[in-house]
Amino acid sequence: MTPARNEEENLPDVSKSVIGQEVIPALWIIVDDGSTDETPRILEELKAKYSWIRSIRLPPRPRDITFHYSYVCKQGFDHALEYCSENGIEYEYIGLLDADTVLEGNYFGKLIGEFEKDSSVGIASGGVYYDVGGKLSREVSDKNLPRGTGRLWRKSCFFETEGYQVEPSPDSISNTKALLRGWQLRQYADVIEVQKRKTSAGEGLWKGYVKNGWMAYYVDKNLPMVLFNTLYHSLKSPHYTGIAYLYGYLNSAIKREKKIKDKEIKAYYKNQNMGLLFSRVSGVLSRNSTDTRQEEE
């Protein structure tokens, strides 16, 4: 499932990478979130050529990477599951791919191979890279946290964790519910996905990280975790993202904005162990924290 809004520049490369996979999806649903550019035309051309590509269109609405993004994704997942049920399409994995992410040639095949090696893995993704002057630079993140884009759920894990919820940071919520039910999470850095925009940069990095800070408040993360997250973001370039993140959290706290109602999620983040954050900060400080690789044809 792919949410797409005004992605005429990226969608041709992204679709080419999906169509060229060694393991092709049984179904690819692309949700046109009220695009006003050439995205609808591109989608019509794709559907005309490939029967396994389908799309739905939502009415235009203001861009929002909090609740609205998860709403768009939920519409896509619901449509995909219903379509598979009605048409007898068998599947074992459910995936989410943003419209700015290009996959290596055997991306799905490699991830599925890792799932088959370990039945305890419930959610997995590759590593996110950026093309920097013809070389691939990996975005530093914890190896046990799947990325939001390019992630696969084992079908049973997806349904056990209540599917994709309409919440801010839905991927983090899905990760948390998977952990609480005994599933393992994995990110495989040698499985490459190239992201054309920086993470959280849909409305600019400052706004993106302010919203990330608000999300931390919304899920009720404890203050020590928020401060360590601030340090973690500040150690990475551009360093101002840490300040943006902290501002988003404190501004929400001062205004006493509403928090998530899910008691399971609140309890998890309220009592979360800081060991994870220590490992993430250590990773940034390590000289091996960023992998740079020659771009592969």
Side-chain angles (χ1 to χ4, degrees), residues 82 89 203:
E82 182 179 356
I89 298 175
E203 295 183 307

Side-chain angles (χ1 to χ4, degrees), residues 130-145:
Y130 299 103
D131 186 337
V132 182
K135 294 183 178 181
L136 294 182
S137 177
R138 184 170 68 89
E139 183 176 70
V140 179
S141 59
D142 190 274
K143 66 180 181 180
N144 292 320
L145 288 180

Side-chain angles (χ1 to χ4, degrees), residues 80-268:
L81 296 174
E82 182 179 356
Y83 186 86
C84 287
S85 177
E86 292 177 348
N87 292 274
I89 298 175
E90 299 290 334
Y91 59 97
E92 292 299 326
Y93 302 95
I94 298 170
L96 171 59
L97 178 69
D98 285 340
D100 65 351
T101 306
V102 176
L103 306 177
E104 66 161 292
N106 193 27
Y107 185 90
F108 294 134
K110 288 182 176 180
L111 278 189
I112 290 172
E114 297 295 343
F115 275 105
E116 293 178 346
K117 290 178 187 176
D118 188 348
S119 62
S120 70
V121 175
I123 309 174
S125 79
V128 166
Y129 291 76
Y130 299 103
D131 186 337
V132 182
K135 294 183 178 181
L136 294 182
S137 177
R138 184 170 68 89
E139 183 176 70
V140 179
S141 59
D142 190 274
K143 66 180 181 180
N144 292 320
L145 288 180
R147 305 310 303 261
T149 183
R151 65 168 42 207
L152 291 184
W153 287 263
R154 195 184 297 273
K155 180 181 178 180
S156 52
C157 176
F158 185 86
F159 287 112
E160 283 181 25
T161 54
E162 305 168 44
Y164 203 82
Q165 299 191 30
V166 180
E167 292 281 8
S169 197
D171 300 317
S172 296
I173 290 174
S174 181
N175 289 345
T176 300
K177 287 185 174 289
L179 288 171
L180 291 172
R181 286 156 180 77
W183 291 101
Q184 298 298 311
L185 312 177
R186 292 289 183 270
Q187 179 189 147
Y188 300 98
D190 58 343
V191 183
I192 299 172
E193 49 180 326
V194 181
Q195 198 166 288
K196 291 177 171 286
R197 284 189 295 261
K198 291 282 285 184
T199 302
S200 300
E203 295 183 307
L205 279 174
W206 176 267
K207 286 186 178 180
Y209 278 86
V210 168
K211 286 190 175 180
N212 286 345
W214 169 76
M215 290 178 195
Y217 174 83
Y218 179 79
V219 298
D220 210 17
K221 285 191 176 182
N222 61 59
L223 185 58
M225 285 291 293
V226 170
L227 294 177
F228 267 98
N229 265 319
T230 299
L231 174 61
Y232 170 69
H233 293 309
S234 298
L235 289 172
K236 298 190 300 178
S237 180
H239 305 294
Y240 66 79
T241 57
I243 299 300
Y245 174 87
L246 183 61
Y247 171 79
Y249 177 86
L250 293 177
N251 187 54
S252 301
I254 291 170
K255 293 180 178 179
R256 294 183 174 273
E257 295 185 0
K258 68 177 182 179
K259 297 183 178 182
I260 192 170
K261 294 181 180 179
D262 191 314
K263 293 180 180 180
E264 183 179 49
I265 296 298
K266 289 182 73 172
Y268 176 83

